[in-house]
Amino acid sequence: MGPAVELWKETEMAKTKTKYEKLCEKIVLWEDKKTKKAKRKLHRTERGVEKTKLKALQRYTEDNERIGIIVASARAHAYESQMKEELKVKQKANLMRTTGRSPSTCL
């Protein structure tokens, strides 16, 4: 039962890791997209009068701060979810070791 449990644990951990790596990639892509959009908007409105330039620059900095807050929150949530999921897998593997039974999803 030991090697089967270890194999199951490793595959579940690998699945979890790839899942959250993809999520982190999505977060980075979203951040890049939003930052570039804010930068384009700044350049577009910067062509106008000085007052408009100042407003545009202020809006750009506010947008970047908001984007940073959202990204930090998303990363923290993803990390927390990953840790919880990995903990569940480890607990399930320990339970399988102690009871000698495999879960219904394990071969």
Side-chain angles (χ1 to χ4, degrees), residues 36-60:
K36 288 177 183 177
K37 182 179 177 181
K39 191 73 169 176
R40 278 194 312 271
K41 195 172 185 178
L42 170 68
H43 288 307
R44 199 173 355 162
T45 55
E46 238 179 13
R47 297 181 201 139
V49 220
E50 191 64 32
K51 189 176 180 183
T52 309
K53 285 183 184 180
L54 290 175
K55 262 188 183 178
L57 187 59
Q58 183 180 4
R59 187 172 47 237
Y60 172 72

Side-chain angles (χ1 to χ4, degrees), residues 1 5-6 16 18 20 24 37 45 54 60 62 84 106:
M1 195 66 189
V5 171
E6 287 302 317
T16 302
T18 56
Y20 285 100
C24 286
K37 182 179 177 181
T45 55
L54 290 175
Y60 172 72
E62 288 172 357
K84 284 181 181 178
C106 187

Side-chain angles (χ1 to χ4, degrees), residues 23-40:
L23 181 61
C24 286
E25 287 176 18
K26 277 186 175 181
I27 292 170
V28 168
L29 290 175
W30 183 86
E31 179 185 20
D32 289 343
K33 177 183 167 185
K34 292 296 181 177
T35 305
K36 288 177 183 177
K37 182 179 177 181
K39 191 73 169 176
R40 278 194 312 271

